[in-house]
Structures are given as structure tokens and as C-alpha cells.
Amino acid sequence: MSSSGGLSGATRARMRDVMAAHVERGDMPGLVTLVSRRGDVHVDVLGTRSLGSSEPMRRDTIFRIASMTKPITAAATMILVEECKLHLDERVDRLLPELADRKVMKRLDGPLDDTVPSKRAITVRDLLTFRMGFGSVMAPPGTYAIQNAMRDLQIGGDGPPNPSVAPGPDEWIRRLGTLPLMHQPGERWLYNTGSDVLGVLIARVTGQSFEKFLRERIFEPLGMKDSSFSVPAEKLDRLAGCYRRDPATGALAVYDDAANSHWSRPSAFQSGAGGLVSTADDYLAFCRMMLDKGRCGRERILSRPSVELMTTDQLTPEQKAGAGIFFGDHSSWGFGVAITTRRTNLWPVGRFGWDGGFGTSGYSDPTEDLIGILLTQRMMDSPEPPRAFVDFWNSAYQAIDD
């Protein structure tokens, strides 16, 4: 390492070579990597902004960050908890009556009307920890009736985010309220939906749109000028393409074209689970605030206890049952973030953050005072980290020896 505690020149060159190989193989058209250690920030920009384009990738290229939205949504919720406008263990149906008197499916593979009453109401804490009893089903599409219902109602959680099809927040929560829960509240960790409910809840309690709250309380104070739920016309030339691997041919296929993107116009539903776009430097500002225990210079976004609570393991082994594809045997969940709980890789216990299904990753490490952000245009094929993610994190950590 260099004397400043940042990445050495040799380390930077190795990381660049490793990540450039992914672009050269055609895994993705381009990428941006950012590593910050002890305040020393190193950024690499590789490849092109879109497939078949000569436009080079730029440091300020805008990416769809998908589930990297979730930590921001959790932080926004904790701002309201600190202001006593929300309470962690209060029933959410005070503000979301659509979620009152829940029914719970007797079994996941059963009919939607084969239910029992919920044993208790859903709480704010349930939403933050993804224990509300409803979420994404890790099975092929159409395996269960509940998956078909989620698809038909267009409430998300059954595939990649698509802001052009979701209804507005009031209609979205109404539709969600027509479906039974998959498990009793508090019983099981289920991915995704809790963050979307939090976005609606924040809008209800503040009387303003979720995006306006984020802009006033997080984005503007942190200088996150390119983070939003859509990309204005004057910035569309900085939006990266978005691609998925065609299982039939193995080639990259367009999921969302930058020239006619679903994110090029405001969405009716501002998804707290996966709707944001951002840049490497914008997301660095958020991660730096979290690593600095809620502070940004003289500005305080969150209290230290809130950040510590968000980054503390909130799950029992029983609640994590069936979530091995997300957590393996080495991590768990706090409030909107995954947390390393057992050292099985180069990164230590206490590292926190999350990945985005459109090919992005962002984690913070209090032990090493390290932040890593990887932004690509290649969608993930499964919840397991793709090779580019693993190579990025191994490269970021392999030189730390001081």
C-alpha cells in the first residue's frame, strides 16, 4: 500500500488489467470501478457506454443501480424514525390501511385463497429487515400462483425493475393489499418488497413524493446531483446501456436502450427497492456518509446509533432459512443492507452494502476504511455474485497489508 493508505500504483494496474479482461472478453461493453481507502479515491473507466458504440465510458456515466437503492431507502426511513415520525415497532397500517388484517397463505405452492389470519400486524422494523411476510420468490417464473399474481398486478418482485409499467404508489399499495402474505410477519426473510413499501410509507408520512424527500434530505446535502428515479433529457447522453445474456445464443441482448430508456421519463412509481439511477461519485458520497456514522462534513444526515443499528445483523438462522442463495454461510441482513458475519473471503466481518441486479455493487468496510463501487451494464444472471464482482472485490482487498 502507499504511505497514504490508498491503493499502490502496482495494485491499481493489477485491478485495471483484471477488470479490463472482462470488457475485452465481451462480458460487458464497459465499466467503472471506484475504490476509496482512508480518503484516497481511485477510479478506473473502461470500455464504452453502450454496446456497439464508440462513445467511451466516463467517470460520470449514469447507471441503473437497481437494488443498491435499498440502502438509501433504509437510511431515509431512519431519518423519520429519528424525528419520531415513524417508530420501528409500530404497525404500518396506521398509515397504510391497505395492509391491515393480513391473510397468510397456508403453503407457498397452494391457492391464493387457502389462508389463515396473520398473527400480528406488519411493523416498520419488518419492512426494514424484509420480514414483512411478502417478497420475491426464488423459483422459475410461473412456478407458484402467487408469482403469477405479482406479475399480473405489476407490483414488481417477479423480475428486473421496469418503471414504465408500475402503477402510482396509492394504486400499487392497493394492489399489494389484495394479495395474501407468503409467511407470517416476522417469520422469514423475503427479498425486495419491504423496500418498495417503505417508499410508499415515506410518501404517506411526509406528504410529499418519495423522490422529493430523498432529494431534500439525502441527495442535495450529499451533493448527489445525478441520483434520481429518471434521467432528464439533458443527461441522457450520459446514461449507459443495459444488457442481459441471451441464454440461447450467449450473446448480450438489449434490456433497456439508453436512447429510448424506460428511465428517460418520470415513473409513476418511485421504487424504493430498485428504481434509482446514479453515478460512481454520487454513490461514493452516500457510502462515505454511512462509513462516517451519518456525517458529511459538518452536515449530519443520520445519527451514529442509526447507522450502527442499520449495519447490525437483525436475523435469526430460522428467519434466514431458504435465503442461502443470497447469504451463503457468511452474511446476513440489517436494515436495507447485507452484512458480512463470518470471514470466508478477503473482506472482514462488518462489511456492509448490497449489489444491484443490473450489474452494480457497492460496499463499505469500517475495519479498513474502504469503499468499493463497481458499475457495469451487464445484468446479473442470478443472486450469486458474477465473476466480475468477485474479481473486483478480490482486487480491491488483495493488497491491504497495513
Side-chain angles (χ1 to χ4, degrees):
M1 302 298 298
S2 65
S3 59
S4 66
L7 295 177
S8 69
T11 298
R12 295 177 181 184
R14 278 195 298 272
M15 174 181 284
R16 184 178 180 87
D17 289 345
V18 167
M19 300 311 296
H22 289 280
V23 176
E24 292 162 3
R25 283 195 301 266
D27 295 342
M28 66 278 296
L31 55 84
V32 177
T33 64
L34 183 151
V35 178
S36 170
R37 187 166 191 243
R38 297 176 182 171
D40 183 26
V41 179
H42 173 65
V43 177
D44 262 330
V45 180
L46 300 167
T48 59
R49 181 171 56 84
S50 301
L51 191 64
S53 168
S54 60
E55 293 292 329
M57 187 67 76
R58 294 168 29 174
R59 178 168 177 162
D60 66 352
T61 294
I62 298 171
F63 291 81
R64 304 153 192 80
I65 62 170
S67 290
M68 284 167 59
T69 303
K70 291 176 171 68
I72 295 175
T73 299
T77 305
M78 292 307 297
I79 290 173
L80 295 173
V81 170
E82 290 183 0
E83 294 176 349
C84 298
K85 294 176 181 175
L86 289 173
H87 299 88
L88 289 175
D89 294 310
E90 74 169 306
R91 303 163 57 114
V92 299
D93 53 28
R94 173 177 69 87
L95 291 160
L96 302 175
E98 298 90 342
L99 299 185
D101 302 321
R102 297 288 75 215
K103 300 293 185 182
V104 182
M105 298 177 71
K106 289 182 179 178
R107 61 186 195 280
L108 186 61
D109 60 354
L112 299 185
D113 59 357
D114 187 15
T115 62
V116 297
S118 60
K119 297 177 181 177
R120 66 167 176 81
I122 299 167
T123 67
V124 175
R125 189 187 301 270
D126 290 330
L127 300 179
L128 286 162
T129 58
F130 287 2
R131 299 179 304 191
M132 67 172 288
F134 193 96
S136 299
V137 179
M138 294 298 108
T143 301
Y144 304 121
I146 190 68
Q147 291 173 284
N148 296 331
M150 293 169 69
R151 179 201 62 218
D152 294 343
L153 292 175
Q154 296 180 324
I155 59 172
D158 62 331
N162 187 342
S164 67
V165 302
D170 290 339
E171 174 61 14
W172 184 91
I173 199 73
R174 186 199 69 78
R175 294 183 188 184
L176 178 63
T178 67
L179 297 179
L181 301 179
M182 302 173 194
H183 293 280
Q184 291 286 343
E187 183 180 87
R188 193 71 59 86
W189 186 90
L190 291 171
Y191 189 54
N192 196 70
T193 307
S195 289
D196 273 339
V197 178
L198 285 171
V200 180
L201 181 65
I202 288 169
R204 290 269 176 97
V205 74
T206 62
Q208 58 186 174
S209 73
F210 181 39
E211 181 168 29
K212 185 176 181 181
F213 182 79
L214 291 182
R215 185 168 61 249
E216 292 179 354
R217 303 301 300 273
I218 296 178
F219 297 159
E220 289 181 354
L222 293 180
M224 298 171 66
K225 61 183 183 298
D226 292 319
S227 297
S228 64
F229 288 102
S230 61
V231 183
E234 65 272 17
K235 295 182 180 181
L236 278 175
D237 62 342
R238 290 164 46 205
L239 178 64
C242 183
Y243 307 93
R244 67 195 322 170
R245 180 72 69 182
D246 186 329
T249 65
L252 291 181
V254 175
Y255 174 77
D256 187 57
D257 187 1
N260 188 30
S261 173
H262 294 303
W263 278 262
S264 65
R265 47 201 175 272
S267 170
F269 185 71
Q270 297 160 0
S271 169
L276 287 173
V277 298
S278 193
T279 64
D281 284 296
D282 270 18
Y283 210 77
L284 171 64
F286 175 76
C287 291
R288 186 74 257 171
M289 178 274 293
M290 292 290 290
L291 211 53
D292 288 345
K293 303 293 187 181
R295 284 196 174 278
C296 175
R298 294 183 178 180
E299 187 100 27
R300 178 169 287 287
I301 307 300
L302 286 171
S303 69
R304 176 182 55 79
S306 283
V307 175
E308 291 175 349
L309 181 60
M310 288 177 64
T311 56
T312 297
D313 182 7
Q314 301 289 327
L315 302 181
T316 66
E318 293 76 19
Q319 289 165 341
K320 287 195 294 183
I325 194 169
F326 289 95
F327 299 133
D329 63 351
H330 61 272
S331 62
S332 192
W333 196 254
F335 287 178
V337 295
I339 305 154
T340 302
T341 55
R342 177 170 173 261
R343 188 160 198 163
T344 60
N345 290 295
L346 298 182
W347 41 94
V349 170
R351 171 182 176 260
F352 62 88
W354 198 228
D355 301 320
F358 288 137
T360 61
S361 184
Y363 282 81
S364 303
D365 179 349
T367 302
E368 299 292 349
D369 192 10
L370 182 145
I371 297 165
I373 298 167
L374 170 65
L375 303 175
T376 84
Q377 314 107 312
R378 162 75 186 278
M379 290 174 63
M380 295 170 63
D381 299 320
S382 83
E384 296 177 329
R387 182 177 173 184
F389 287 23
V390 176
D391 287 351
F392 169 69
W393 289 111
N394 282 344
S395 298
Y397 276 94
Q398 57 87 24
I400 292 177
D401 60 0
D402 61 338

